[in-house]
mmCIF file of all heavy atoms in Angstrom:
data_model
loop_
_atom_site.group_PDB
_atom_site.id
_atom_site.type_symbol
_atom_site.label_atom_id
_atom_site.label_comp_id
_atom_site.label_asym_id
_atom_site.label_seq_id
_atom_site.Cartn_x
_atom_site.Cartn_y
_atom_site.Cartn_z
ATOM 1 N N MET A 229 235.697 261.555 49.808
ATOM 2 C CA MET A 229 237.038 262.067 49.695
ATOM 3 C C MET A 229 238.055 261.177 50.488
ATOM 4 O O MET A 229 239.201 261.072 50.095
ATOM 5 C CB MET A 229 237.033 263.487 50.305
ATOM 6 C CG MET A 229 238.193 264.346 49.889
ATOM 7 S SD MET A 229 237.916 265.084 48.285
ATOM 8 C CE MET A 229 239.456 265.973 48.125
ATOM 9 N N ARG A 251 250.149 265.900 51.237
ATOM 10 C CA ARG A 251 249.587 267.252 51.402
ATOM 11 C C ARG A 251 248.500 267.378 50.342
ATOM 12 O O ARG A 251 248.761 267.125 49.150
ATOM 13 C CB ARG A 251 250.736 268.219 51.096
ATOM 14 C CG ARG A 251 250.464 269.638 51.458
ATOM 15 C CD ARG A 251 251.776 270.386 51.469
ATOM 16 N NE ARG A 251 252.236 270.783 50.124
ATOM 17 C CZ ARG A 251 253.239 271.618 49.891
ATOM 18 N NH1 ARG A 251 253.921 272.135 50.855
ATOM 19 N NH2 ARG A 251 253.555 271.932 48.665
ATOM 20 N N PHE A 252 247.305 267.697 50.771
ATOM 21 C CA PHE A 252 246.213 267.866 49.820
ATOM 22 C C PHE A 252 245.898 269.357 49.731
ATOM 23 O O PHE A 252 245.464 269.984 50.686
ATOM 24 C CB PHE A 252 244.947 267.123 50.291
ATOM 25 C CG PHE A 252 245.120 265.619 50.172
ATOM 26 C CD1 PHE A 252 245.967 264.944 51.016
ATOM 27 C CD2 PHE A 252 244.439 264.894 49.200
ATOM 28 C CE1 PHE A 252 246.150 263.566 50.905
ATOM 29 C CE2 PHE A 252 244.583 263.536 49.078
ATOM 30 C CZ PHE A 252 245.452 262.874 49.934
ATOM 31 N N ARG A 253 246.138 269.936 48.550
ATOM 32 C CA ARG A 253 245.909 271.371 48.338
ATOM 33 C C ARG A 253 244.650 271.553 47.533
ATOM 34 O O ARG A 253 244.409 270.823 46.549
ATOM 35 C CB ARG A 253 247.073 271.974 47.566
ATOM 36 C CG ARG A 253 248.318 272.195 48.392
ATOM 37 C CD ARG A 253 249.402 272.865 47.579
ATOM 38 N NE ARG A 253 249.976 271.928 46.571
ATOM 39 C CZ ARG A 253 249.866 272.062 45.273
ATOM 40 N NH1 ARG A 253 249.192 273.062 44.735
ATOM 41 N NH2 ARG A 253 250.424 271.184 44.455
ATOM 42 N N THR A 254 243.807 272.532 47.915
ATOM 43 C CA THR A 254 242.611 272.758 47.138
ATOM 44 C C THR A 254 242.977 273.276 45.739
ATOM 45 O O THR A 254 243.991 273.953 45.584
ATOM 46 C CB THR A 254 241.689 273.807 47.808
ATOM 47 O OG1 THR A 254 242.477 274.987 48.069
ATOM 48 C CG2 THR A 254 241.113 273.259 49.085
ATOM 49 N N SER A 255 242.171 272.921 44.778
ATOM 50 C CA SER A 255 242.459 273.306 43.393
ATOM 51 C C SER A 255 241.146 273.408 42.637
ATOM 52 O O SER A 255 240.063 273.370 43.264
ATOM 53 C CB SER A 255 243.362 272.234 42.770
ATOM 54 O OG SER A 255 243.763 272.634 41.490
ATOM 55 N N TYR A 256 241.237 273.562 41.341
ATOM 56 C CA TYR A 256 240.002 273.664 40.570
ATOM 57 C C TYR A 256 240.119 272.886 39.266
ATOM 58 O O TYR A 256 241.094 272.982 38.508
ATOM 59 C CB TYR A 256 239.672 275.115 40.201
ATOM 60 C CG TYR A 256 238.497 275.194 39.265
ATOM 61 C CD1 TYR A 256 237.200 275.057 39.764
ATOM 62 C CD2 TYR A 256 238.689 275.362 37.892
ATOM 63 C CE1 TYR A 256 236.101 275.069 38.918
ATOM 64 C CE2 TYR A 256 237.599 275.358 37.040
ATOM 65 C CZ TYR A 256 236.299 275.216 37.535
ATOM 66 O OH TYR A 256 235.243 275.225 36.723
ATOM 67 N N PHE A 257 239.180 272.016 39.021
ATOM 68 C CA PHE A 257 238.948 271.395 37.700
ATOM 69 C C PHE A 257 237.462 271.477 37.419
ATOM 70 O O PHE A 257 236.688 271.318 38.387
ATOM 71 C CB PHE A 257 239.384 269.924 37.672
ATOM 72 C CG PHE A 257 240.853 269.699 37.996
ATOM 73 C CD1 PHE A 257 241.247 269.258 39.270
ATOM 74 C CD2 PHE A 257 241.863 269.979 37.084
ATOM 75 C CE1 PHE A 257 242.568 269.062 39.569
ATOM 76 C CE2 PHE A 257 243.176 269.781 37.388
ATOM 77 C CZ PHE A 257 243.561 269.342 38.652
ATOM 78 N N GLU A 261 234.403 268.405 42.039
ATOM 79 C CA GLU A 261 234.069 269.380 43.077
ATOM 80 C C GLU A 261 233.856 268.633 44.398
ATOM 81 O O GLU A 261 232.961 267.774 44.443
ATOM 82 C CB GLU A 261 232.779 270.127 42.682
ATOM 83 C CG GLU A 261 232.338 271.167 43.674
ATOM 84 C CD GLU A 261 233.358 272.256 43.950
ATOM 85 O OE1 GLU A 261 234.100 272.602 43.043
ATOM 86 O OE2 GLU A 261 233.459 272.699 45.095
ATOM 87 N N PRO A 262 234.632 268.849 45.417
ATOM 88 C CA PRO A 262 235.799 269.713 45.432
ATOM 89 C C PRO A 262 236.965 269.073 44.636
ATOM 90 O O PRO A 262 236.990 267.899 44.395
ATOM 91 C CB PRO A 262 236.144 269.799 46.919
ATOM 92 C CG PRO A 262 235.620 268.512 47.516
ATOM 93 C CD PRO A 262 234.396 268.192 46.716
ATOM 94 N N SER A 263 237.933 269.920 44.282
ATOM 95 C CA SER A 263 239.113 269.463 43.544
ATOM 96 C C SER A 263 240.336 269.705 44.411
ATOM 97 O O SER A 263 240.361 270.578 45.252
ATOM 98 C CB SER A 263 239.275 270.288 42.269
ATOM 99 O OG SER A 263 238.117 270.213 41.446
ATOM 100 N N CYS A 264 241.346 268.901 44.137
ATOM 101 C CA CYS A 264 242.605 269.104 44.886
ATOM 102 C C CYS A 264 243.803 268.706 44.042
ATOM 103 O O CYS A 264 243.682 268.044 43.009
ATOM 104 C CB CYS A 264 242.582 268.285 46.168
ATOM 105 S SG CYS A 264 242.487 266.535 45.898
ATOM 106 N N GLU A 265 244.943 269.166 44.495
ATOM 107 C CA GLU A 265 246.181 268.648 43.988
ATOM 108 C C GLU A 265 246.917 267.972 45.140
ATOM 109 O O GLU A 265 246.862 268.470 46.260
ATOM 110 C CB GLU A 265 247.017 269.777 43.351
ATOM 111 C CG GLU A 265 246.746 269.845 41.853
ATOM 112 C CD GLU A 265 247.155 271.163 41.273
ATOM 113 O OE1 GLU A 265 246.330 272.087 41.266
ATOM 114 O OE2 GLU A 265 248.299 271.257 40.820
ATOM 115 N N ILE A 266 247.498 266.833 44.868
ATOM 116 C CA ILE A 266 248.081 266.045 45.929
ATOM 117 C C ILE A 266 249.619 266.031 45.804
ATOM 118 O O ILE A 266 250.144 265.759 44.727
ATOM 119 C CB ILE A 266 247.524 264.586 45.916
ATOM 120 C CG1 ILE A 266 245.995 264.609 45.948
ATOM 121 C CG2 ILE A 266 248.094 263.789 47.051
ATOM 122 C CD1 ILE A 266 245.317 263.330 45.692
ATOM 123 N N ASP A 267 250.260 266.428 46.897
ATOM 124 C CA ASP A 267 251.719 266.414 46.934
ATOM 125 C C ASP A 267 252.181 265.331 47.893
ATOM 126 O O ASP A 267 251.443 264.931 48.806
ATOM 127 C CB ASP A 267 252.260 267.734 47.486
ATOM 128 C CG ASP A 267 251.845 268.941 46.640
ATOM 129 O OD1 ASP A 267 251.554 268.735 45.443
ATOM 130 O OD2 ASP A 267 251.798 270.047 47.190
ATOM 131 N N ALA A 292 243.133 265.781 41.340
ATOM 132 C CA ALA A 292 242.069 264.820 41.687
ATOM 133 C C ALA A 292 240.833 265.596 42.207
ATOM 134 O O ALA A 292 240.845 266.833 42.312
ATOM 135 C CB ALA A 292 242.557 263.858 42.756
#
Side-chain angles (χ1 to χ4, degrees):
M229 200 81 182
R251 191 164 81 169
F252 289 71
R253 283 181 289 114
T254 53
S255 186
Y256 174 78
F257 301 103
E261 181 59 34
S263 304
C264 62
E265 265 161 273
I266 304 170
D267 300 337

